[in-house]
């Protein structure tokens, strides 16, 4: 009997997993402890991180036993892009869990017909990522002066970005109860020697980087100044954010208007939890918002986004498009979010675990798992399309919704 190809090399990962939970466990086994810790840690006590997933358990389905639809569709359109399933890649920072990083993620998303969100703190340049996926959205924080931000917007547009995502909810909350993972400023010989005891126990991860001829890159090339080959380190980028005054709504409106002048393409605000903020997003002309609490990695104690989604969708869902970002690990989670008013969902940790577990194929595996789960939920509910999902599709317990910032 022929052995599977992956058994020929004990350091090559098993090429398939059946759930996002298994991908997470594979990532834990494969990555050095500090690297894995950076993927799973929430802020402070982790209340929001845990709540993001736990809230989905409270929403229930009422399945049918007959009259199921033989053909079911989950295709949709988000910010002018046709996608084959209502799941898009949320922008996350330096993806040094795999040598190909964001390029591998972009390829996997393209092969599954969906959108790639690229952080300006990414480890790969926007030009490479947009070339790998022609549905790339570029994400920016409010950092640097306006001339710097204009230069970054222009670069993203020139690379082919189809939309701009402004992330406004980041406060970089520290003080994790379990301790923050060690993130070196740069990977040089001294760093490699110091961290060798933590890394040497993960030969598969070392082998992957050794085979590629690369070392983990902790710089942010999309923050590089014109003419510079390298961007700042993670800590350099953090310093720029720390020394930039936080934006007002007038500043956000300037960002939206400037992007419109440069590109004429959609503008999205990420990190909305309150109804009044959602209405402000409408007022400044945003095309979309994501209801998000930064994956529980920001202000701890913020309600799960799925709890905030319904009231926000009721207030502004007819005026702009809405994505739900936070706690998605199953296709049934996606269906619940769509039933409460989201056009699509954004995933973060789930695809990073897939990337760590098996590179580009692992990210594709995660998207396939979610696609299968969405299809199963539609089948059980007797629906032929995600367009038929409404709040009446699900059972919501009393007191579930959080109506933050209800205008007086």
């Amino acid at each position: 009997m022929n052995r599977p190809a992956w058994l020929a090399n004990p350091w090559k990962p098993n090429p398939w997993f059946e759930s996002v939970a298994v991908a997470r466990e594979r990532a834990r086994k494969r990555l050095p402890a500090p690297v894995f810790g950076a993927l799973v840690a929430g802020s402070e006590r982790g209340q929001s991180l845990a709540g993001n997933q736990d809230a989905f358990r409270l929403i229930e389905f009422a399945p049918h036993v007959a009259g199921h639809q033989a053909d079911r569709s989950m295709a949709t359109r988000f910010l002018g892009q046709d996608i084959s399933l209502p799941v898009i890649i949320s922008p996350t920072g330096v993806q040094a869990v795999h040598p190909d990083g964001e390029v591998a993620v972009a390829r996997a998303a393209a092969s599954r017909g969906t959108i790639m969100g690229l952080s300006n703190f990414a480890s790969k340049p926007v030009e490479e990522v947009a070339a790998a996926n022609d549905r790339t959205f570029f994400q920016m924080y409010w950092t640097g002066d306006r001339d710097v931000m204009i230069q970054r917007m222009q670069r993203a547009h020139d690379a082919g970005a189809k939309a701009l995502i402004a992330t406004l909810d980041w406060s970089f909350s520290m003080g994790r109860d379990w301790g923050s993972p060690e993130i070196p400023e740069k990977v040089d010989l001294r760093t490699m020697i110091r961290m060798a005891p933590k890394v040497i126990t993960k030969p598969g991860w070392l082998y992957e980087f050794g085979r590629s001829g690369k070392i983990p890159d902790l710089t942010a090339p999309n923050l590089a100044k014109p003419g510079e080959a390298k961007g700042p380190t993670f800590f350099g980028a953090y310093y720029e954010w720390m020394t930039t005054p936080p934006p007002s709504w007038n500043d956000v409106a300037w960002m939206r208007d400037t992007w419109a002048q440069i590109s004429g393409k959609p503008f999205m605000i990420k990190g909305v939890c309150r109804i009044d903020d959602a209405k402000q997003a409408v007022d400044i002309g945003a095309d979309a918002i994501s209801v998000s609490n930064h994956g529980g990695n920001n202000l701890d104690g913020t309600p799960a986004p799925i709890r905030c989604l319904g009231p926000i969708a009721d207030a502004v869902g007819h005026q702009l498009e809405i994505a739900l970002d936070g706690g998605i690990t199953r296709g049934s989670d996606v269906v619940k979010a769509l039933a409460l008013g989201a056009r699509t969902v954004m995933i973060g940790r789930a695809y990073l675990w897939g990337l760590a577990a098996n590179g580009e194929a692992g990210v594709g595996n995660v998207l396939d798992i979610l696609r299968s789960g969405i299809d199963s939920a539609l089948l059980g509910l007797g629906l032929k399309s995600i367009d038929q999902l409404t709040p009446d599709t699900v059972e919501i317990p009393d007191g579930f919704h959080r109506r933050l910032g209800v205008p007086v």
Side-chain angles (χ1 to χ4, degrees), residues 17 20-21 23-25 27 31 36-43 46 48-50 52-53 88-93 95 97 105 176 178 292-298 325-329 346-357 362-363 366 370:
F17 39 83
V20 172
R24 182 186 189 279
E25 181 61 14
L31 295 176
F36 181 71
L39 295 189
V40 298
S43 60
S48 291
L49 174 64
N52 285 0
Q53 290 190 32
I88 67 178
I89 299 297
S90 188
T92 62
Q95 294 176 14
V97 299
V105 177
R176 297 181 172 97
W178 47 85
S292 170
N293 63 7
H294 216 98
N297 206 18
N298 190 40
D325 187 346
I328 300 289
T329 59
M346 306 175 79
I347 59 170
R349 288 183 177 89
Y351 78 79
L352 290 174
W353 296 332
L355 179 65
V363 178
V366 166
L370 296 177

Side-chain angles (χ1 to χ4, degrees), residues 87-120:
V87 179
I88 67 178
I89 299 297
S90 188
T92 62
V94 178
Q95 294 176 14
V97 299
H98 188 275
D100 294 333
E102 293 84 358
V103 173
V105 177
R107 288 173 181 155
S111 71
R112 269 61 177 185
T114 195
I115 293 164
M116 170 69 186
L118 179 71
S119 171
N120 67 349

Side-chain angles (χ1 to χ4, degrees), residues 187-312:
V187 180
D188 54 16
L189 180 60
R190 178 177 294 181
T191 301
M192 288 190 283
I193 293 172
R194 178 169 55 82
M195 300 194 74
K198 297 177 181 177
V199 174
I200 200 67
T201 60
K202 304 297 181 180
W205 188 73
L206 280 174
Y207 170 78
E208 196 74 42
F209 275 95
R211 189 167 64 91
S212 71
K214 305 171 185 176
I215 60 173
D217 189 353
L218 302 182
T219 61
N222 296 305
L223 299 182
K225 296 177 182 177
E228 291 186 355
K230 293 283 260 184
T233 65
F234 175 83
F235 291 100
Y238 174 56
Y239 177 78
E240 182 183 86
W241 169 78
M242 245 191 346
T243 54
T244 303
S248 66
W249 277 109
N250 286 337
D251 291 325
V252 181
W254 170 86
M255 185 184 241
R256 183 265 175 200
D257 292 345
T258 303
W259 174 248
Q261 292 167 12
I262 290 172
S263 72
K265 295 174 183 175
F267 179 81
M268 177 178 181
I269 296 176
K270 184 173 182 291
V272 175
C273 288
R274 297 170 55 107
I275 294 171
D276 50 0
D277 282 350
K279 287 179 176 290
Q280 286 274 19
V282 171
D283 290 344
I284 65 139
D287 301 287
I289 58 173
S290 81
V291 179
S292 170
N293 63 7
H294 216 98
N297 206 18
N298 190 40
L299 179 61
D300 200 27
T302 305
I306 191 66
R307 291 182 179 271
C308 303
L309 174 62
I312 289 175

Side-chain angles (χ1 to χ4, degrees), residues 363-377:
V363 178
N365 195 158
V366 166
L367 290 169
D368 290 343
I369 288 166
L370 296 177
R371 184 191 298 275
S372 176
I374 296 167
D375 187 64
S376 294

Side-chain angles (χ1 to χ4, degrees), residues 27-98:
R28 184 189 68 79
K29 291 180 178 179
R30 188 168 179 78
L31 295 176
V35 180
F36 181 71
L39 295 189
V40 298
S43 60
E44 296 183 342
R45 66 166 59 89
Q47 176 180 338
S48 291
L49 174 64
N52 285 0
Q53 290 190 32
D54 291 344
F56 281 100
R57 300 176 185 174
L58 301 176
I59 303 173
E60 298 176 331
F61 292 123
H64 288 287
V65 296
H68 295 159
Q69 303 297 314
D71 298 311
R72 297 166 298 280
S73 172
M74 61 188 77
T76 190
R77 187 172 176 85
F78 187 68
L79 290 184
Q81 301 300 309
D82 291 318
I83 51 178
S84 68
L85 78 166
V87 179
I88 67 178
I89 299 297
S90 188
T92 62
V94 178
Q95 294 176 14
V97 299
H98 188 275

